[in-house]
Amino acid sequence: MMPAIKIRNLSKHYRIKGPKKKEQFEALRNINLDIEKGKVTGLIGPNGAGKSTLLKILSRITLPSTGTIEIEGRLASLLEVGTGFNQELSGRENIYLNGAILGMSTAEIDAQFDEILAFSGVNKFIDTPVKHYSSGMYVRLAFSVAAHLQSDILLIDEVLAVGDANFQKKCLEKINEATQANRTVVFVSHNMSIARTLCDTLVYLKKGEVVKKGNSDEVADFYLKESTEVAKKVAVSDRIDRKGNGQATLQDLSCHHQNMNGVLTTGLSANFVSCLQINTTHQEVDVELRLNIFNTHGQFLTTLNNKLSGHLFKTEKSEVSLNCSIKKLPLMPGSYTIKAKVNVNGIQADVLDNAYTFKVLEGDFYGSKQWDKKRVPGVFIDQHWGIEA
Amino acid sequence: MQNHNNIAKQPTPHTRITAKSPSLGASLAEVWRYRQLLITFAKRDYKVRYAQTLLGFSWSFIQPLASVVVLYFIFQRVMKVPTGNISYLPFALSGLIFWNYFQSVVTQASASLIGNQSIIRKIYFPRLTLPLSRAIVTLVEPLVAALLFIIALLYFNEGSWFAALSFIPLLALTALAALGLGLWSSALSIRFRDLQQAIPFALQMLFFATPIAYSSSLLRKISPANADYLLYLNPLTGIIETFRHLVFGTNLSPHVWISVLLAFCLFASGLIYFQKVERKIADIV
C-alpha cells in the first residue's frame, strides 16, 4: 500500500548565534520515514529530538533544508489548540475564524456548526467574547473546531496535554473515531502511556535522527529502557537535572530484600534506603521524602511517603538517612522507576526523575497459589471476599 | 455541504515538499484557494477595531472630518495657502481620500506579520493573506471619505460629482503602491524591527511632501526647474493631481505617468520579495 507520507533524506538546519561565530544547528538529520495510511503514528523522544520540527515541516510552516516529502491526501495540522483565536470575538465568530485559518470553508463550518457547539459544551456562552471564557471552556471550544477538521491526514502536537481528564478522554475518542474513517494521524506526545494506548506505530527520534520505528509496545519499552539506563549510569549524587530550591538534595537511593540489591519479590519484605544532605543553619527542619513509583509504561502507581504514612521527621543534622520498610511488597512482577521528591518545611527542595530503577520478581502475594498472567505491571490490594446465596 | 463522503469522492490531492520555495504563480493560486480566509481576516480586523468603543462605526466619519478641520486652520487660516477657487473642505478631502488609505495600508500591512507571529509559527496558510486582508478592511476609510467628498461637492456646488467617481480606479492605484510598500516592509520587518519605528516617522514626512493640504502647483513652484518630474516619484502626488484635474479641472503635469508606473513597480517588486521570504518567515519571527 502507498504510504500517506513519504519522507526522503530530510534534513533541517538552523543558523544560530554561537558564543563566537555563527553556528549551524541540525534539528533533523537525514530522516527517511514512511507513515502508513489509516494508522496512528506517534513521534516520541526527549526534548530537542526534532519531533516538533518534523511536524512543522510536514505542515508546511517551514521549509526543509534538504530532502523531499510526498503527501497523499488533504493534510490538516493542529500544533496548538486555539491558534488564531481572537479574545475580542465571540465563540461563534472564533469558530469561523479558527476554522478558516485551519483551512475549512464556510460551508463546511456551517454544516458542522451544531456538532462543534455540542462537542464543546459552551452552548450558553457562544455569543460571549472568548476573553470572558474560563480556560477550560476556551480549550474545549478550540479543540472542538479542530476535531471537526475534515482531512485525510491529521498532525497533532501535544494538544491533549490540556483540559481535564474527562475532556482528554473525549479527545482521544474523537481521534480514534477519526481514524476509523481511514484517517492517518501523526501524533507527538511526551506522555508515554497515552502514546502507547493511542498509537499503532511509534517512531523514536533522538538528536534529529530516527532511532527506532515499529510496533508501539516494542518502541515504548525500548525508549523507557534507554532513558532509565542513561539515568542509571550517573550516580544519584552526581545528577544535576534537579528541580526544587536545593535546600536538601538526595545523595543516594537504593532498595534491597535481604542481601539482594535492586531486586525485590512480590509478597516479601522490602527496604528502601535514602541518604539526604540538608543545608540547615542548626535549626530544626521538617523533612519529607516522597518516592513516586512508576511502571514501565510510565504510569504512576503509588507513592512511599513518610509524612503521608504518619512519620514526621524533624532534624537539625546536615546529613540524614531515611529508611522505609515494607512488610509485604504489593507490586506485580516487572521493572519500576522512582521519581524522588524532597520537601523541607513543606517547600519543594529537590525533585529527581528516574532516581532509581528496580526489578520485582514473581511472588505469591495472597498466598493463594494462584498466578496472574497480567502483562501490565500494577499493584496488589489486600482483599477479603464473601459470597452469599 | 461537504462531509466525509464527498471528501472521499474528490481526487486525493498530492503535495510535494522540497527545500525550494514554490513559484510566484503557485503562491498566487494558493492565495486564491484561501480567499475565504482573506475575507475572514478582514472581518476579524473590522470587528476587533470597533470592539468596546462607544462610537463604533462613527469613528470612520469623525476621523476624516477632524483631519479636515485641523488642516483648514493650519493651512488655510494661518498659512493662507492658495487653493484656487476651490473651497477648502472639498479640496482637502480630495487629497485625504487617498492619503488616509495609503497611510493605513502601509502601517497595518507592515505590522501584519509581526502582529500575527503566534499563528505564523503554528499554522500554514498563505502569508500573503495577512497584508492583503489589511488592504481590504481599511477600504472603509476611503469609501467614507469619498462619500463625504461628494456631499461636500454638492453642498458647495463645485467640481463635478460624476467625475469624482474616478476615485475608484485611482484608489486601486493607491492600493497597489501602498501594498507594494507594505509587502516590502512587512517582510523586512521580520529581520529589521527598526522599520516599525521608522515607518510612522517616514509617513509623517511624506504627508507634508504630498500635495494634500496644498496644491501640487505650489509644490512645483518651489522645486528646481527642469526637475519637477522628480516630484512624481511620490506616487500619491500623481494620483491626487490626476483626481483634482478630473474633478476641479486643475492643471495636470505630463509627468503623472511616472507615479502610475511606480505604483505598479512597487507592487510587483513587493510581491516578488515577499513570496521569496515567505517560507522562511516562521524560522525568523
Side-chain angles (χ1 to χ4, degrees):
Chain A
M1 192 159 88
M2 276 276 284
I5 303 175
K6 218 161 85 182
I7 303 172
R8 291 290 173 268
N9 308 321
L10 188 78
S11 299
K12 172 81 185 176
H13 28 255
Y14 290 101
R15 247 178 289 158
I16 49 165
K17 263 192 194 147
K20 278 181 190 157
K21 50 175 186 179
K22 281 193 175 169
E23 289 171 27
Q24 257 199 2
F25 167 70
E26 288 195 302
L28 290 174
R29 240 178 290 176
N30 202 28
I31 304 272
N32 284 288
L33 199 61
D34 283 346
I35 307 282
E36 285 105 41
K37 225 172 234 173
K39 292 228 170 120
V40 182
T41 302
L43 301 178
I44 54 169
N47 282 334
K51 302 173 302 239
S52 300
T53 307
L54 185 54
L55 274 204
K56 273 190 179 174
I57 294 174
L58 285 175
S59 52
R60 296 198 286 164
I61 291 168
T62 179
L63 285 175
S65 304
T66 59
T68 58
I69 299 173
E70 308 272 348
I71 300 169
E72 289 296 327
R74 188 172 160 190
L75 181 141
S77 72
L78 202 53
L79 301 199
E80 188 184 82
V81 240
T83 314
F85 261 49
N86 192 294
Q87 296 294 322
E88 302 290 340
L89 299 180
S90 72
R92 184 188 301 276
E93 288 160 344
N94 269 308
I95 290 179
Y96 282 91
L97 173 62
N98 194 230
I101 295 176
L102 292 172
M104 293 162 98
S105 70
T106 309
E108 268 177 291
I109 305 169
D110 281 339
Q112 299 191 84
F113 189 85
D114 294 336
E115 235 180 282
I116 294 175
L117 188 57
F119 186 77
S120 70
V122 300
N123 312 26
K124 263 199 298 183
F125 303 97
I126 192 65
D127 290 311
T128 311
V130 295
K131 64 180 170 186
H132 300 308
Y133 279 28
S134 73
S135 55
M137 281 161 67
Y138 186 90
V139 166
R140 283 207 307 272
L141 183 68
F143 186 85
S144 310
V145 182
H148 289 82
L149 256 180
Q150 306 205 327
S151 63
D152 308 309
I153 306 167
L154 181 63
L155 308 178
I156 312 181
D157 190 357
E158 312 237 37
V159 282
L160 295 167
V162 289
D164 58 18
N166 239 334
F167 187 70
Q168 283 199 18
K169 205 171 145 242
K170 250 168 104 179
C171 298
L172 292 179
E173 279 164 10
K174 189 75 201 171
I175 292 168
N176 273 333
E177 200 179 289
T179 44
Q180 274 152 22
N182 205 24
R183 175 141 74 163
T184 312
V185 177
V186 181
F187 183 74
V188 164
S189 178
H190 283 299
N191 186 328
M192 199 49 68
S193 70
I194 289 188
R196 193 194 282 261
T197 41
L198 202 69
C199 302
D200 306 308
T201 307
L202 286 181
V203 177
Y204 173 18
L205 285 173
K206 201 167 89 181
K207 290 181 182 157
E209 285 173 303
V210 176
V211 179
K212 198 173 169 71
K213 183 199 167 192
N215 158 309
S216 66
D217 279 328
E218 191 189 320
V219 179
D221 284 340
F222 179 82
Y223 174 64
L224 283 170
K225 209 174 132 217
E226 211 189 61
S227 42
T228 48
E229 265 166 14
V230 169
K232 244 199 291 188
K233 274 182 207 147
V234 182
V236 169
S237 53
D238 294 338
R239 295 270 298 269
I240 48 164
D241 51 335
R242 297 166 186 266
K243 279 184 216 148
N245 68 5
Q247 207 196 336
T249 47
L250 185 72
Q251 295 297 315
D252 194 24
L253 179 66
S254 65
C255 73
H256 61 93
H257 167 67
Q258 291 168 348
N259 293 328
M260 294 269 275
N261 226 325
V263 183
L264 306 173
T265 308
T266 306
L268 300 183
S269 69
N271 269 294
F272 289 84
V273 185
S274 68
C275 189
L276 297 180
Q277 196 169 54
I278 309 168
N279 298 326
T280 59
T281 44
H282 303 289
Q283 271 177 336
E284 214 177 45
V285 291
D286 162 34
V287 181
E288 177 189 356
L289 177 66
R290 178 191 281 267
L291 303 174
N292 290 338
I293 299 177
F294 292 83
N295 67 13
T296 43
H297 291 203
Q299 290 161 328
F300 168 78
L301 288 185
T302 185
T303 184
L304 303 175
N305 183 331
N306 62 298
K307 206 170 181 178
L308 189 70
S309 57
H311 306 84
L312 301 179
F313 295 141
K314 288 197 184 287
T315 181
E316 73 269 19
K317 295 275 175 355
S318 62
E319 217 171 278
V320 290
S321 171
L322 299 186
N323 269 303
C324 172
S325 67
I326 297 165
K327 270 188 208 147
K328 207 172 139 192
L329 188 73
L331 297 175
M332 294 181 185
S335 183
Y336 296 87
T337 56
I338 292 181
K339 176 178 186 171
K341 287 186 183 183
V342 183
N343 285 351
V344 174
N345 289 334
I347 295 166
Q348 192 164 294
D350 193 19
V351 179
L352 198 56
D353 273 319
N354 292 323
Y356 189 65
T357 304
F358 63 95
K359 267 207 173 87
V360 175
L361 304 176
E362 199 156 26
D364 189 358
F365 181 78
Y366 299 110
S368 61
K369 307 232 164 33
Q370 299 289 322
W371 304 97
D372 184 22
K373 291 280 171 247
K374 195 91 181 71
R375 200 169 51 86
V376 183
V379 294
F380 292 106
I381 300 172
D382 249 327
Q383 47 196 290
H384 300 280
W385 289 74
I387 181 169
E388 277 171 54
Chain B
M1 281 250 289
Q2 225 171 6
N3 54 38
H4 286 288
N5 300 335
N6 287 346
I7 290 265
K9 277 177 210 148
Q10 290 169 2
T12 26
H14 177 96
T15 318
R16 191 180 153 84
I17 301 174
T18 64
K20 268 207 262 167
S21 287
S23 69
L24 182 60
S27 289
L28 291 178
E30 189 86 335
V31 172
W32 178 247
R33 229 173 307 142
Y34 274 82
R35 57 193 181 276
Q36 190 99 53
L37 183 62
L38 201 63
I39 307 295
T40 311
F41 273 144
K43 271 191 196 159
R44 171 195 70 176
D45 294 338
Y46 182 75
K47 278 184 183 150
V48 170
R49 175 183 234 171
Y50 297 119
Q52 284 196 0
T53 59
L54 192 63
L55 299 175
F57 184 69
S58 321
W59 277 111
S60 307
F61 288 86
I62 298 168
Q63 279 155 348
L65 284 176
S67 329
V68 170
V69 171
V70 172
L71 295 183
Y72 172 73
F73 273 102
I74 297 172
F75 286 90
Q76 185 80 343
R77 298 303 292 269
V78 180
M79 294 166 68
K80 304 209 165 32
V81 169
T83 57
N85 315 322
I86 310 160
S87 308
Y88 200 75
L89 179 69
F91 180 82
L93 273 173
S94 67
L96 282 173
I97 296 174
F98 304 101
W99 172 258
N100 283 348
Y101 183 58
F102 180 83
Q103 186 188 28
S104 297
V105 173
V106 171
T107 318
Q108 293 188 33
S110 300
S112 63
L113 291 182
I114 291 181
N116 286 288
Q117 302 177 31
S118 58
I119 322 180
I120 289 173
R121 270 194 247 117
K122 295 290 178 187
I123 298 182
Y124 166 77
F125 57 88
R127 311 306 187 201
L128 258 175
T129 51
L130 289 170
L132 284 183
S133 70
R134 299 309 152 103
I136 296 174
V137 72
T138 38
L139 266 178
V140 175
E141 292 170 26
L143 291 179
V144 168
L147 183 70
L148 289 174
F149 177 63
I150 292 175
I151 293 172
L153 285 185
L154 294 173
Y155 178 80
F156 290 97
N157 199 17
E158 280 167 8
S160 148
W161 70 267
F162 183 71
L165 291 180
S166 63
F167 88 88
I168 296 167
L170 289 170
L171 198 62
L173 210 56
T174 312
L176 288 184
L179 264 174
L181 282 175
L183 288 172
W184 272 106
S185 70
S186 63
L188 284 170
S189 294
I190 290 170
R191 265 184 216 280
F192 311 104
R193 301 271 160 118
D194 322 54
L195 268 174
Q196 293 300 308
Q197 306 296 322
I199 284 167
F201 179 69
L203 281 171
Q204 204 175 18
M205 308 288 278
L206 191 65
F207 174 80
F208 290 108
T210 306
I212 300 158
Y214 53 88
S215 68
S216 52
S217 50
L218 195 71
L219 202 59
R220 245 175 283 144
K221 251 182 247 163
I222 56 165
S223 68
N226 305 328
D228 60 351
Y229 64 89
L230 284 175
L231 296 173
Y232 298 90
L233 286 177
N234 172 3
L236 282 173
T237 302
I239 290 169
I240 294 172
E241 191 174 312
T242 310
F243 189 58
R244 283 179 180 159
H245 168 73
L246 292 171
V247 178
F248 303 114
T250 49
N251 292 336
L252 185 67
S253 155
H255 300 305
V256 286
W257 63 270
I258 297 176
S259 293
V260 177
L261 192 70
L262 197 72
F264 278 100
C265 289
L266 274 174
F267 182 69
S269 62
L271 202 60
I272 291 167
Y273 180 70
F274 188 92
Q275 105 93 26
K276 217 183 113 194
V277 300
E278 184 179 9
R279 294 299 172 85
K280 291 180 197 140
I281 291 170
D283 290 343
I284 308 172
V285 290

